[in-house]
Amino acid sequence: MSAVLALDGVVLARGGSRVLDGADLRLERGERLALVGANGAGKTTLLRALVGLEKPTAGRVGAFGRPCADEPDFRTVRRRVGLLFQDPDDQLFCPTVQEDVAFGPLNLGETPKAAFATARATLDRLGLDHLAERITHRLSGGEKRLVALAGLLAMAPEVLLLDEPTNALDDANRARMLDLLAGLDATMLIVSHDRPALERLATRAVVLQGGRLEPAIIHRHPCPTPALHIHGLDDDHRHELETAARRA
């Protein structure tokens, strides 16, 4: 397992049905991988499995070249991999924004003084310093999502798992989120139904259907205003990908 994160034949069942059914995944360092699929396909479950929040019934999970089987393994992984939850209310639990963003650095061993300095520096870098003293549960939905991202970035993760990062954001905060993510030097796995966001950020795409992952294509249609699009691999697109691979 040389990939940054990997799944090998992972099976994960819930309520008697298989959400993941022999799923294979390789996330290589420096990639920004888009993960698409229908609602209920299991995309969030897959992200949670990668950091040990869901336990497979079969198959293997790997991170940074090592297999991960139990909680001590995943505890180490979660120091290097940040998961942005789909609902920021599941991620924010400290009274103020500054305390919430400082929580991760404190957990990583920074002194309180250093952790709060890291928090303030992160908020400042993201243009969120004006929120530092705000009560977290009184923030707007968009502000909560940006603060949740700040909490992850304060821990300087090598990999970001992003579950619907632009969901429920207004135009201004969506633009800010995309600018922030586009400017980060981090490996990413991005779950989203926001196709324009994926088209801007992703370097590769996969689709989750029937519990398994298949390649998808990001390509540019010839049209008056060129735009990138992500497709699952029907027969025509599979042929296109195979032809491109032979030419490479």
Side-chain angles (χ1 to χ4, degrees), residues 98-99 101-123 153-155:
Q98 182 175 242
E99 289 172 302
V101 178
F103 180 82
L106 280 169
N107 246 10
L108 293 179
E110 290 190 14
T111 65
K113 181 178 180 180
F116 277 93
T118 297
R120 291 304 291 254
T122 303
L123 289 168
L153 297 183
M155 295 185 287

Side-chain angles (χ1 to χ4, degrees), residues 206-222:
V206 292
V207 58
L208 180 59
Q209 52 190 2
R212 297 193 177 195
L213 291 160
E214 298 288 345
I217 292 176
I218 305 175
H219 71 96
R220 190 178 297 274
H221 285 307

